[in-house]
Amino acid sequence: MPTRSARTAWTGGLQDGSGQVELVSSGVGKYDVSFPKRSADNADGTTSPEELIAAAHSSCYSMALSAQIGNAGGTPQSLDVTADVTLGPDPAGGFRISKIKLTVVGRAAGIDEAGFLAAAEAAKAGCPVSKALTGVDDIELDATFEA
């Protein structure tokens, strides 16, 4: 299986520094990062580790759910998945990812709502990114099936 790479070039301290994340394997772009913007409500044109984790989780979960629907005898028609990743204080000091909420609205043929919801839960448990994030105390799933 392949290995994917990203690189960050950082200058300065935590509060006054900044960096740029480069998606090396795909070559699709470079994105600015800074801690003050990471911890602010407005990202103001920068990304963060949490946003990148959200992108990884939503895309991985979409693939896993598509597979689970197929395993249940259904055919995925559309999946709209959002991952919200929350940065919060760590009781041990510093910060941690305190919560992830996956929200999916899906349409599939050949499967009913109960089958879809079962597939959604199985995808949450089986998605490789979900497995990598098992240290997060709260990974919530809100799944909606549209007939």
Side-chain angles (χ1 to χ4, degrees):
M1 298 301 292
T3 298
R4 302 291 186 231
S5 300
R7 177 183 169 270
T8 300
W10 184 269
T11 56
L14 179 63
Q15 294 297 331
D16 66 347
S18 63
Q20 196 170 62
V21 175
E22 177 183 6
L23 304 182
V24 175
S25 299
S26 64
V28 297
K30 294 180 181 181
Y31 305 93
D32 293 334
V33 293
S34 83
F35 184 77
K37 291 180 182 179
R38 176 185 185 185
S39 57
D41 288 331
N42 183 350
D44 194 28
T46 66
T47 193
S48 67
E50 292 73 33
E51 184 177 39
L52 296 169
I53 289 170
H57 206 175
S58 67
S59 60
C60 183
Y61 179 82
S62 297
M63 293 177 204
L65 180 52
S66 177
Q68 290 295 331
I69 290 169
N71 291 344
T75 302
Q77 295 173 325
S78 66
L79 301 173
D80 186 348
V81 178
T82 302
D84 298 310
V85 176
T86 303
L87 178 67
D90 187 337
F95 298 92
R96 65 184 291 216
I97 294 173
S98 57
K99 179 178 181 178
I100 298 173
K101 181 177 181 184
L102 292 168
T103 304
V104 58
V105 177
R107 298 184 75 209
I111 193 171
D112 62 9
E113 183 177 20
F116 177 81
L117 296 176
E121 287 292 339
K124 177 185 165 207
C127 161
V129 173
S130 291
K131 291 176 182 179
L133 295 170
T134 57
V136 177
D137 291 337
D138 184 10
I139 300 180
E140 178 183 331
L141 174 62
D142 180 8
T144 303
F145 179 68
E146 293 185 339

